Amino acid sequence: MTTVGFIGLGIMGGPMSANLVKAGFDVVGYDITRPNVDALVEQGGKGASSVADAVRDADVVITMLPNHPQVEQVVFGEDGVLANASSGTLLIDMSTIRPETSVAVAKAGGERGIAVLDAPVSGGEAGAKQAALSIMVGGNEADFASAKPLFDAVGKTIVHVGAHGAGQVVKAANQLVVGGTYALVSEAIVLLEASGVDPKAGMDVLAGGLAASRILDLKRDSMIAREFKPGFRIDLHHKDMGIVTSAAREAGVVLPVGALVAQLMASALAVGDGGLDHSGLLRGVERLSGT
Amino acid sequence: MTTVGFIGLGIMGGPMSANLVKAGFDVVGYDITRPNVDALVEQGGKGASSVADAVRDADVVITMLPNHPQVEQVVFGEDGVLANASSGTLLIDMSTIRPETSVAVAKAGGERGIAVLDAPVSGGEAGAKQAALSIMVGGNEADFASAKPLFDAVGKTIVHVGAHGAGQVVKAANQLVVGGTYALVSEAIVLLEASGVDPKAGMDVLAGGLAASRILDLKRDSMIAREFKPGFRIDLHHKDMGIVTSAAREAGVVLPVGALVAQLMASALAVGDGGLDHSGLLRGVERLSGT
Amino acid sequence: MTTVGFIGLGIMGGPMSANLVKAGFDVVGYDITRPNVDALVEQGGKGASSVADAVRDADVVITMLPNHPQVEQVVFGEDGVLANASSGTLLIDMSTIRPETSVAVAKAGGERGIAVLDAPVSGGEAGAKQAALSIMVGGNEADFASAKPLFDAVGKTIVHVGAHGAGQVVKAANQLVVGGTYALVSEAIVLLEASGVDPKAGMDVLAGGLAASRILDLKRDSMIAREFKPGFRIDLHHKDMGIVTSAAREAGVVLPVGALVAQLMASALAVGDGGLDHSGLLRGVERLSGT
Amino acid sequence: MTTVGFIGLGIMGGPMSANLVKAGFDVVGYDITRPNVDALVEQGGKGASSVADAVRDADVVITMLPNHPQVEQVVFGEDGVLANASSGTLLIDMSTIRPETSVAVAKAGGERGIAVLDAPVSGGEAGAKQAALSIMVGGNEADFASAKPLFDAVGKTIVHVGAHGAGQVVKAANQLVVGGTYALVSEAIVLLEASGVDPKAGMDVLAGGLAASRILDLKRDSMIAREFKPGFRIDLHHKDMGIVTSAAREAGVVLPVGALVAQLMASALAVGDGGLDHSGLLRGVERLSGT
């Protein structure tokens, strides 16, 4: 039976590791917050007292961490994955981080006989709980094939999109389009309302034509009602827009709209809207317009 | 039987007036280009030799013109609608123009006993030919009800969205979201390609999640293949972004993303891409990135 | 002696017409606000009861009006300049308006034997009072030469910059750079303060190097102190940014930074800062940053 | 006599270290490029074969390096400053890097008894050769006082602007205003030219009023002539705009204009203009406008 060392048992990693246990994997989990480890044990997993402890006997290591500094520490640290996992282990980083770090991790892993995949997800807490995540995977085809059974236990749409880092780039592109669409829909709503047009009637027309989008379908009513209960929080999308900007810089491309949306997201965070759903970007457009 | 004076028999007005004839209306058409009038006559309509001639005995006047200066001339000119149509006539302006002109036309019409609706459309030449346009209507409820049989003869989705000018505002909001979505999808494609990720695999993932949109569904393959045969041309979308900007200014709202997209559209026109489909905005993002 | 018909005797036109009287010109003034006419009479000018009355016997007509709709009405109206001034009159429009209107006025004037100059000014109320305005003049060289003695009576830096409309374009370029510099200085101050750096020490360094500007020299202390007593008001600069945007569109050029600054200025107006000095753009950057 | 270990003897560090020798300091230099070390020896300095070798007996260590990864390696590496300099040494980092790295270096230095100043410069190669740099210093007052004689040997305007990292923040603010001013002046020139106005006449007017700046004074003629021989290169200013963006993110502030200027600078680099003077940003505005 495959033994999985799972590092990072928070809002996403918690239900994901539990789903792996349910699917029959032997999961050894670690988190800096002890109750998160206890929760995994209650679900039938094993608890570890350190990263080293979690990865030492693992066939596969999964990391699900907030951002690249945590990934760097967990992977490269003295107590970390590379120093303690056996050669032949497969490391799957499911965190959303900048592609250049994913590439660096893959390179360092390769030098120690540890294959690496970057496999960021979308779908949020609900997707994690229902094992219905979308997973964008970068790395070698053979490693992707090995990892497939694990991905199947936590996700629904699972796509191998390219070499090391490609998963992160696709995730970044996704967050760029999602964040930008929220900004556009927000501007449309503010324009309609300030012009004295019923926003619901107007947005219904948009949702029926070329302007249609999943965001319009799912969120236009809650946006018009100013209900911004998350869902996916602005502070996390702000982090992701930082990855978009960083990935663009690394790739030498220019994203004028993405850079502006990143500023609007930063503004939402700066004024205290970080805990709202990302559709709350609407409030920033309203603030600019004094409405 | 209702007599319709139809001013503007071009790419859109031509098939629309023909559809009205087919639906049994008595159509008297005028266009500054004589062959356009002849084409209507061939379809069973009547030709007029001036605006005055076309509107004098009309129950309903429809205008379908390039932009607000033409509407102002046709409506307010000596030879125009207000000077020559009878009191009691209904004037339906189906041009896409700035809302403030629609409001001014409605006010001037009202003073002479001529009711006015603004009724811009989306759906393009194909929609005009197939009588499948989306029509966004601003004006009084009763006038909308009177006009409904005519709208049914040329359109499919027909929505009364508010008072005078509201149709134009909804059209502007639509073009804002459509133009912006093209910019975002373009940036996503350029980011993927420059990062060495297969854009098709990547965009397929986006189209399956929260980033999904009708534009991604219909256009991602042609965009990745750099096929930009119109469709709806960049020069027309540039005109429409001017209306977006103008409507926002009039309403006192701030649209940072819309303003930037308007600049990108202006750039596409300036460098000679005006005749491409609006998905050709991708070329501008590529030029910025040197790819 | 030259008789000057002066239309528009407000904050700018009032002191300018008074300075013409002082310089020995025979000034016949008109304004829609009667007390403004009375004020000119007190200074030794003559009052007129209409535009027609003011221009009928004038050798030169000067207009100093809020924006292009007022210029169009005063020039093209039944009671207006073209209908009532004699052939051979010189019309100098010193209003700040969009270049395309200046060109249209010059064309229409030319057809009636009335030469036209566009001659917008900078320097504000203080410059008007002290006869120290900068004047940017578009039109024919010979007409500029004729007008020079009048310009000398109200201005200090007087430059013939090109053909009809060129004065307005230079004024637009000026307002673009001024507005944009305020935005940049605002962002620099907010960055310094939020980083815990004394803004005065920091801005002093900037003012000593390549970042130096007249705005840094004159305004950095009042900006750091948040003193925004006008000077030149945000609502007027908002009008001017509209001219910048319009001039760019007309010329087929793309001004990404100008378009963004126009949005920031629109935001300042929308939230109620229109009566502040334009350096008050700083407040908008603070609002975005939640500081 | 004070012994200075100088790490980084390139275009800037070369002449700076030579000026320290001239001023009577005992300079031990190291650079990864051996001929740079030889050049210092020719000027009367001593050559070192490693960072460790250069700093071991130094009273003061100066680093002048391309960006934060090089600073991190030189300071934190096994062969680096902290591992090899004596307690009591003063470390002055004159590189332009992001403020958060400067703060981290100061903290790590403090823990080992090594005081740290961040002291980025402006003035370019010419300023370095003429010992006429502007130096913006962050750190403790007492350390600044100790370092003052060294700063006097290489710079002219020397300002202590605040705590650790403050020097970098002021440098970032400077580059923000400089880069943005180039963008604004570029847009003004393109607007004038496309409108048929002589740019020289127009820009002369701007340089005489509130739009005046050192950049207009020094660069408008060369920009109009399209002469972009550096001066300060676009690739370096691109690096600096990355620091601006990073510093803003770190400070939690929103710089919409700065973010856009960073994209324009990135575009200039992406299309191959990286070796031009930063005034070459004009070419990007021209490309957008198709002129």
Side-chain angles (χ1 to χ4, degrees), chain D residues 24-114:
Chain D
F25 293 96
D26 188 11
V27 181
V28 185
Y30 175 71
D31 193 283
I32 50 169
T33 303
R34 183 71 214 176
N36 288 347
V37 179
D38 297 341
L40 173 63
V41 172
E42 274 174 46
Q43 301 285 328
K46 292 181 192 137
S49 58
S50 68
V51 173
D53 193 21
V55 308
R56 199 164 289 121
D57 300 318
D59 304 301
V60 176
V61 173
I62 295 180
T63 47
M64 191 62 182
L65 298 160
N67 206 347
H68 66 96
Q70 291 81 17
V71 171
E72 285 163 1
Q73 193 188 328
V74 163
V75 172
F76 299 124
E78 259 177 59
D79 173 54
V81 179
L82 297 191
N84 294 284
S86 314
S87 175
T89 306
L90 172 64
L91 168 60
I92 308 173
D93 179 33
M94 303 190 77
S95 322
T96 293
I97 61 170
R98 52 188 196 190
E100 62 183 297
T101 301
S102 295
V103 171
V105 167
K107 185 157 174 283
E111 288 164 4
R112 322 196 93 199
I114 292 174

Side-chain angles (χ1 to χ4, degrees), chain B residues 22-88:
Chain B
K22 267 183 228 159
F25 292 98
D26 189 12
V27 180
V28 187
Y30 175 71
D31 193 283
I32 50 168
T33 302
R34 184 71 214 178
N36 287 348
V37 179
D38 297 340
L40 174 63
V41 172
E42 272 172 49
Q43 301 284 328
K46 290 181 192 137
S49 58
S50 68
V51 173
D53 193 20
V55 309
R56 199 165 288 121
D57 300 318
D59 304 303
V60 176
V61 173
I62 295 179
T63 45
M64 191 62 180
L65 299 160
N67 205 346
H68 67 94
Q70 291 81 18
V71 171
E72 284 163 2
Q73 192 188 329
V74 164
V75 172
F76 298 125
E78 258 178 58
D79 173 55
V81 179
L82 297 191
N84 294 283
S86 315
S87 174

Side-chain angles (χ1 to χ4, degrees), chain B residues 110-136:
Chain B
E111 287 164 3
R112 321 197 91 195
I114 293 174
V116 179
L117 295 171
D118 53 293
V121 306
S122 71
E125 189 179 354
K129 285 184 175 162
Q130 297 155 28
L133 295 166
S134 291
I135 313 179
M136 296 146 256

Side-chain angles (χ1 to χ4, degrees), chain B residues 80-112:
Chain B
V81 179
L82 297 191
N84 294 283
S86 315
S87 174
T89 306
L90 173 64
L91 167 60
I92 308 173
D93 179 32
M94 302 189 78
S95 321
T96 293
I97 61 171
R98 53 188 195 191
E100 63 182 297
T101 301
S102 295
V103 172
V105 166
K107 185 155 174 281
E111 287 164 3
R112 321 197 91 195

Side-chain angles (χ1 to χ4, degrees), chain B residues 139-192:
Chain B
N140 295 337
E141 186 66 45
D143 298 325
F144 174 72
S146 306
K148 192 64 175 21
L150 288 104
F151 290 145
D152 286 333
V154 297
K156 214 163 77 179
T157 307
I158 300 148
V159 190
H160 181 224
V161 290
H164 296 302
Q168 300 297 352
V169 175
V170 172
K171 178 74 189 283
N174 188 74
Q175 296 304 80
L176 162 63
V177 173
V178 168
T181 303
Y182 277 122
L184 290 166
V185 169
S186 298
E187 295 190 358
I189 290 173
V190 168
L191 175 61
L192 290 172

Side-chain angles (χ1 to χ4, degrees), chain A residues 260 267 270-271 287-290, chain C residues 260 267 270-271 287-290:
Chain A
L260 178 56
S267 179
V271 301
R287 270 188 301 270
L288 281 169
S289 297
Chain C
L260 178 57
S267 179
V271 301
R287 270 189 299 272
L288 281 168
S289 297

Side-chain angles (χ1 to χ4, degrees), chain A residues 2-266:
Chain A
T2 305
T3 298
V4 180
F6 203 112
I7 317 296
L9 305 168
I11 290 176
M12 295 297 289
M16 289 166 71
S17 56
N19 281 324
L20 287 170
V21 171
K22 267 183 227 159
F25 292 96
D26 189 10
V27 181
V28 185
Y30 175 70
D31 193 284
I32 50 168
T33 303
R34 183 71 215 178
N36 287 347
V37 179
D38 296 340
L40 173 64
V41 172
E42 273 172 46
Q43 301 284 329
K46 290 181 193 139
S49 56
S50 68
V51 172
D53 193 20
V55 308
R56 199 164 289 120
D57 301 318
D59 304 301
V60 176
V61 173
I62 295 179
T63 46
M64 190 63 181
L65 297 162
N67 207 346
H68 66 94
Q70 291 81 18
V71 171
E72 285 163 2
Q73 192 187 330
V74 163
V75 172
F76 299 124
E78 259 177 59
D79 174 56
V81 178
L82 298 190
N84 294 283
S86 314
S87 175
T89 306
L90 172 64
L91 167 60
I92 309 173
D93 180 30
M94 303 189 78
S95 321
T96 293
I97 61 170
R98 52 190 197 189
E100 62 183 298
T101 301
S102 294
V103 172
V105 167
K107 185 156 173 281
E111 288 163 4
R112 320 196 97 202
I114 293 175
V116 179
L117 295 171
D118 53 292
V121 305
S122 72
E125 189 180 354
K129 286 185 174 162
Q130 297 155 28
L133 295 166
S134 291
I135 312 179
M136 294 146 255
V137 189
N140 295 339
E141 186 64 44
D143 298 325
F144 174 71
S146 306
K148 191 66 176 19
L150 288 103
F151 290 145
D152 286 334
V154 298
K156 215 162 77 180
T157 307
I158 298 149
V159 190
H160 182 223
V161 291
H164 296 302
Q168 299 297 352
V169 174
V170 172
K171 178 72 189 285
N174 188 74
Q175 296 304 79
L176 162 63
V177 173
V178 168
T181 303
Y182 277 122
L184 290 167
V185 170
S186 298
E187 293 191 358
I189 290 173
V190 167
L191 175 60
L192 291 173
E193 292 181 345
S195 305
V197 180
D198 174 24
K200 187 164 166 31
M203 298 311 276
D204 285 356
V205 175
L206 267 64
L210 191 54
S213 64
R214 189 148 308 162
I215 283 175
L216 265 183
D217 284 351
L218 299 177
K219 298 290 190 93
R220 70 181 187 271
D221 288 342
S222 59
M223 288 176 78
I224 291 170
R226 270 63 175 175
E227 290 166 4
F228 302 122
K229 202 186 141 212
F232 188 75
R233 292 200 318 268
I234 278 174
D235 53 6
L236 294 172
H237 210 132
H238 170 69
K239 185 207 96 172
D240 290 356
M241 292 310 297
I243 294 170
V244 171
T245 310
S246 171
R249 205 171 169 85
E250 189 68 15
V253 295
V254 180
L255 308 180
V257 180
L260 178 56
V261 172
Q263 292 295 306
L264 297 176
M265 204 68 82

Side-chain angles (χ1 to χ4, degrees), chain D residues 162-215:
Chain D
H164 296 302
Q168 300 296 352
V169 174
V170 172
K171 178 73 190 282
N174 188 74
Q175 297 303 80
L176 161 63
V177 172
V178 168
T181 302
Y182 277 122
L184 289 166
V185 169
S186 297
E187 294 191 357
I189 289 173
V190 168
L191 175 61
L192 291 172
E193 293 181 345
S195 305
V197 180
D198 174 26
K200 186 160 166 34
M203 298 312 277
D204 285 355
V205 175
L206 267 64
L210 191 54
S213 63
R214 188 149 308 163
I215 283 174

